[in-house]
Amino acid sequence: MKTKKVRYAVLMISGVILLTVVFFINIVTGSVNIPIKDVFSAFGSSEKTVYDSIITDIRLPRALAALSGGAALAVSGILLQIFFSNPIVEPYVLGISSGASLFTGMVLLVGYRFGLVALNTWGMFAGAFVGALIISFIVVIASQYIKNITTLLIIGMMFGYVCSAAISIMTSFADKERLASFVIWTMGSFSGFRWDQVRLMYIIIIPLLIFAFLLSKQLNVMLLGEDYARSMGIAIKPFRALIIGVSSLLCAAVTAFAGPISFIGLAVPHIVRLMFGTSNNRIIIPASCMYGAVMSGLCDLAARILLPPYELPLGAMTSVIGAPILVFLLLHDKGRGAKL
Amino acid sequence: MSGGVVLKTDSLSVGYKDKTVLRDIFLTVEKGRMICLLGPNGAGKSTVLHTLARLIEPIGGRIEMEGRELASISVGELAKKISVVLTGNNLPGLTTVRELVAIGRSPYTGFFGRLTEKDEELIDKSLHSVGAYDLRDRYCSELSDGEKQKIMIARALVQQPHLILLDEPTSHLDVSRKVEVMRILNRLAAENGIAVVMSMHDIDLAVKCSDYIVLIKNGSVKAAGTPEEIIKPGVIDELYDLKGAGYDEQTGAVELAGGSSRDLFVFGRAGTATAVMRAAARLGFGVGFGAAESYDIDAHTAKAVCIDHFIHEHGGESFESLYEKTADAAIGYRLAVDSGFPMSDGDGLMKAVREAEKRGLRVIGRQEYSSIEELIKKIKSQ
């Protein structure tokens, strides 16, 4: 018991330190490297430097978006893994991210054609949420009839493909000037985040993360499956709706502005469970927030600085960094099983 | 609580959506009683348990929990009255035994699920009572099936239920684990006054460990009562459609019946013939037996296994005529074997053996084989 608590504390503190470090690295590194003292002067100090606008207009919103996005996707992954009592689901795998992308794409492209020149931040989010919810509900309804999780995953993937196809069809009609940025967006990217988008992300994500944490007792009971959860006093139907609602909102808040991002929702919860050696959600949810933010921040950094001046797709980074870590942890798990 | 009745069903029908699996269930579960649902696979035992736990809604009839309609009790309140142990222990990974058992306290803990000292004590106590305290810091995924079953019972126990429902608690366990689990349940019922309702496959254990048995088959309750009232000759054979096998109600043994051609007659008594009869029946030989007292273990085996059996009932016909009949029947067989039964001077059964030999029956003597294996070889070669 004691050693376990020490382990939790050490890993939590390391998480906070890592998060802070990653945040600052994200701000100082890039095509222009900024001395750390100038970072501080950008906030509040009266004497303005040349770096001010790089920091406040570009890097800070981007870093903040990347960090919150990672946390949101990780928690969304945890919720879905518990919902389906399956360790290999996440918003991307189930096609929920693709659904969100499709609807955001529709808002972006169709809206533009009908003269919506100024992109409405709320509109994008609403589109993403509707898309995420529609696919979630389809997958949930399918899961009532199909108990075989593999079949369910295939259904999710198929919806993902259909959404992707629809998106690529839409790109044919897209305005040429906007096409490039739209294509980058469909591959997942935190670039070009505006402050109003960041603000909306935080307004949605922070309360939901806290809310998910408050559900950790019920989520722990759900680890044993629905029948047991019900026998221990959980009202299953509203709780299921709640889990799907929260995970869809979290996924939508990220996807609306950063596009579909794979792997974080899958890898981070596993990595955190194995690191902490527990499935207790009271530990796993806050820890996944931190480490999800760290991983997403690192991936975004890598996407920016690996092959300058090119910006690499974020999805490629999350997979390249996340997959080996996951495989390593699974192999060194000593048969304890990474299943939920 | 009315007179110690924990749960009562009235004309209950259970099933799924449009399919009624089982109807007209009248069941009264009293405090501290062990009730066992017995029946073949697919009879609906599990559906009954799920309905009683309110995991599925009943199709018709009433269920009362401590005098109140089950449906009127909130899930939160019900969790403090009924706990379940279901089949398929797919336990969460990276969860220690203690963490898992602690989840069972969730109906009592506050919003964050923080455990009080009393909760911790109860968790330790229930781990002790299933004999799994030493496993408390192990991960659930490292446990054997028997250990998993025990900690799931411990988890059910920390819910401080008045009733525990268990679906096939002993399946997939070896004999000693089965007995251990049943002992734990017996003790919980006897000492803690918890009512236990479970479904089972093991006829034998069910008969020995439960206070009340409900036989279920073909969509209805065939019989219900104490084991003594229920388990009568032929009941189990019929319940499970035992073909090519027989169940002995008194010894609790399932015996494979032999073939129908008269192949081997076994002379024996006092338990000497049982192994030979079982071996022969297993190989598909038609077997005959003579002669023993009705309380002899050989008599029990013979009744389940043999085509002809000669058994002396107290107050029935005389031994002399029984031995005579034995010899008469034996010569109708292709081969006979002397199982090496104990005898006295001028033994009647030995006389019957000699008589049969005289009349042309080949009897393999006890000195001709040293093991059942050897005997089987001999029988096959002749």
Side-chain angles (χ1 to χ4, degrees):
Chain A
M1 281 299 277
K2 272 254 166 62
T3 53
K4 239 185 164 171
K5 279 185 178 154
V6 172
R7 183 179 181 181
Y8 295 163
V10 168
L11 285 166
M12 286 287 189
I13 293 164
S14 319
V16 174
I17 295 169
L18 263 172
L19 189 60
T20 319
V21 171
V22 168
F23 176 69
F24 278 105
I25 293 176
N26 267 308
I27 287 177
V28 299
T29 31
S31 49
V32 181
N33 285 326
I34 301 171
I36 197 97
K37 67 171 169 38
D38 291 321
V39 174
F40 288 104
S41 69
F43 305 107
S45 163
S46 54
E47 47 176 301
K48 296 290 173 195
T49 66
V50 284
Y51 304 122
D52 275 17
S53 79
I54 296 179
I55 292 171
T56 54
D57 294 346
I58 300 171
R59 296 219 183 135
L60 190 57
R62 181 170 185 161
L64 287 173
L67 297 185
S68 68
L73 289 173
V75 172
S76 181
I78 294 176
L79 295 176
L80 291 174
Q81 285 163 14
I82 292 172
F83 184 93
F84 291 103
S85 31
N86 189 285
I88 56 167
V89 299
E90 60 141 351
Y92 192 81
V93 171
L94 288 177
I96 297 172
S97 297
S98 310
S101 307
L102 174 62
F103 280 72
T104 315
M106 276 163 42
V107 173
L108 278 172
L109 294 173
V110 178
Y112 190 72
R113 279 190 91 77
F114 286 93
L116 261 172
V117 183
L119 283 175
N120 187 329
T121 316
W122 277 99
M124 282 170 75
F125 169 72
F129 182 55
V130 169
L133 263 189
I134 287 175
I135 300 294
S136 296
F137 275 120
I138 290 171
V139 177
V140 168
I141 288 164
S143 74
Q144 307 286 310
Y145 298 97
I146 302 155
K147 290 294 164 202
N148 183 334
I149 193 72
T150 320
T151 317
L152 193 64
L153 291 182
I154 292 169
I155 289 175
M157 284 167 68
M158 289 306 128
F159 274 106
Y161 283 127
V162 171
C163 291
S164 305
I167 291 168
S168 61
I169 290 168
M170 286 197 317
T171 55
S172 325
F173 301 106
D175 189 88
K176 291 286 171 291
E177 285 163 36
R178 318 232 348 223
L179 193 60
S181 69
F182 183 70
V183 169
I184 289 173
W185 174 83
T186 60
M187 291 191 294
S189 171
F190 286 110
S191 70
F193 252 82
R194 297 193 316 259
W195 274 110
D196 61 327
Q197 296 171 333
V198 174
R199 207 172 298 127
L200 182 62
M201 260 181 102
Y202 274 72
I203 289 172
I204 294 160
I205 289 174
I206 299 288
L208 286 176
L209 291 181
I210 294 170
F211 187 61
F213 176 67
L214 295 181
L215 293 178
S216 46
K217 173 183 159 180
Q218 282 91 328
L219 291 170
N220 283 345
V221 178
M222 283 288 281
L223 286 176
L224 280 165
E226 283 187 12
D227 280 346
Y228 277 116
R230 186 151 187 205
S231 82
M232 282 185 263
I234 307 270
I236 285 296
K237 274 189 186 153
F239 191 66
R240 281 171 64 112
L242 203 61
I243 296 184
I244 279 297
V246 172
S247 68
S248 298
L249 275 168
L250 283 170
C251 169
V254 182
T255 312
F257 311 117
I261 295 167
S262 62
F263 220 78
I264 290 179
L266 179 65
V268 172
H270 279 300
I271 292 169
V272 169
R273 276 187 207 111
L274 291 168
M275 276 198 318
F276 282 72
T278 184
S279 294
N280 183 352
N281 290 301
R282 232 181 325 152
I283 306 290
I284 296 306
I285 288 177
S288 293
C289 285
M290 278 196 303
Y291 285 95
V294 168
M295 178 159 161
S296 155
L298 284 176
C299 290
D300 186 44
L301 185 69
R304 283 195 295 133
I305 65 170
L306 277 184
L307 290 174
Y310 300 104
E311 169 113 21
L312 304 175
L314 185 63
M317 292 300 109
T318 52
S319 306
V320 166
I321 296 176
I325 298 176
L326 182 62
V327 171
F328 174 83
L329 287 170
L330 286 175
L331 291 179
H332 288 76
D333 178 38
K334 296 188 194 87
R336 259 180 282 136
K339 67 174 188 151
L340 269 172
Chain B
M1 209 183 289
S2 54
V5 174
V6 179
L7 186 111
K8 195 172 161 135
T9 70
D10 187 8
S11 187
L12 175 68
S13 298
V14 301
Y16 299 91
K17 275 183 193 143
D18 41 6
K19 187 173 162 250
T20 305
V21 177
L22 196 58
R23 58 182 81 243
D24 284 333
I25 307 163
F26 294 87
L27 189 66
T28 304
V29 184
E30 282 164 30
K31 205 166 171 277
R33 299 269 264 168
M34 291 261 285
I35 295 180
C36 190
L37 310 178
L38 210 55
N41 279 334
K45 305 186 292 284
S46 188
T47 316
V48 174
L49 290 173
H50 278 71
T51 309
L52 296 183
R54 232 182 116 193
L55 297 175
I56 52 175
E57 295 301 319
I59 296 210
R62 274 171 67 89
I63 309 173
E64 269 181 22
M65 177 78 200
E66 292 170 353
R68 288 167 61 192
E69 181 114 25
L70 190 73
S72 72
I73 303 174
S74 73
V75 275
E77 202 185 333
L78 196 64
K80 298 177 182 178
K81 295 180 187 290
I82 300 180
S83 65
V84 296
V85 176
L86 304 170
T87 49
N89 283 332
N90 196 6
L91 303 185
L94 291 168
T95 302
T96 64
V97 167
R98 208 161 193 295
E99 283 174 330
L100 185 106
V101 175
I103 291 175
R105 284 305 290 167
S106 58
Y108 297 89
T109 54
F111 190 73
F112 279 101
R114 188 170 290 283
L115 299 171
T116 64
E117 226 165 85
K118 187 190 158 218
D119 292 324
E120 304 271 4
E121 265 170 40
L122 269 163
I123 292 164
D124 286 343
K125 209 176 124 199
S126 59
L127 277 169
H128 273 300
S129 67
V130 300
Y133 186 71
D134 294 335
L135 300 174
R136 65 192 181 282
D137 291 325
R138 296 264 299 277
Y139 281 110
C140 294
S141 42
E142 299 170 338
L143 304 180
S144 69
D145 284 347
E147 288 167 337
K148 280 181 186 168
Q149 197 61 273
K150 285 198 286 185
I151 65 161
M152 285 314 273
I153 294 172
R155 189 212 57 77
L157 205 53
V158 293
Q159 272 179 261
Q160 293 179 294
H162 305 169
L163 169 66
I164 296 187
L165 302 168
L166 303 100
D167 199 0
E168 309 267 351
T170 58
S171 53
H172 308 300
L173 301 184
D174 62 38
V175 176
S176 66
R177 295 290 97 73
K178 277 182 189 177
V179 173
E180 197 181 352
V181 165
M182 294 309 286
R183 275 192 179 286
I184 291 167
L185 294 175
N186 268 330
R187 207 175 52 236
L188 294 181
E191 291 172 13
N192 302 13
I194 298 171
V196 177
V197 178
M198 63 191 157
S199 62
M200 258 181 111
H201 273 317
D202 300 76
I203 310 161
D204 193 20
L205 267 181
V207 170
K208 285 162 194 164
C209 298
S210 42
D211 300 311
Y212 196 83
I213 288 178
V214 180
L215 297 182
I216 295 171
K217 197 190 173 185
N218 291 345
S220 68
V221 174
K222 286 279 171 251
T226 62
E228 296 72 35
E229 287 166 358
I230 293 303
I231 306 299
K232 297 203 178 92
V235 170
I236 297 292
D237 295 3
E238 202 226 308
L239 183 67
Y240 285 94
D241 284 329
L242 286 181
K243 289 197 184 81
Y247 176 79
D248 188 290
E249 286 74 20
Q250 278 165 311
T251 60
V254 174
E255 302 283 359
L256 294 177
S260 54
S261 61
R262 290 185 161 75
D263 297 312
L264 181 74
F265 195 90
V266 184
F267 291 103
R269 68 158 80 105
T272 57
T274 289
V276 180
M277 289 189 284
R278 282 181 183 159
R282 193 170 62 233
L283 293 167
F285 292 119
V287 189
F289 170 80
E293 292 274 12
S294 59
Y295 51 76
D296 194 317
I297 185 72
D298 282 344
H300 285 289
T301 314
K303 278 182 193 165
V305 170
C306 294
I307 308 167
D308 306 304
H309 43 74
F310 297 93
I311 289 158
H312 181 252
E313 302 289 345
H314 191 70
E317 65 183 319
S318 71
F319 271 110
E320 284 74 28
S321 82
L322 188 72
Y323 289 144
E324 223 166 87
K325 279 186 188 163
T326 302
D328 288 347
I331 55 166
Y333 281 74
R334 199 159 59 78
L335 199 63
V337 62
D338 167 6
S339 64
F341 50 88
M343 54 188 166
S344 49
D345 288 344
D347 191 274
L349 183 56
M350 202 61 214
K351 274 186 193 153
V353 176
R354 297 284 167 254
E355 171 69 21
E357 261 184 319
K358 216 182 284 170
R359 284 157 72 178
L361 180 68
R362 163 79 172 102
V363 180
I364 301 171
R366 183 66 189 86
Q367 67 286 348
E368 289 182 61
Y369 62 94
S370 61
S371 65
I372 296 289
E373 216 179 347
E374 205 179 318
L375 174 67
I376 295 298
K377 266 188 208 150
K378 243 190 169 78
I379 295 169
K380 278 183 174 167
S381 69
Q382 303 221 358

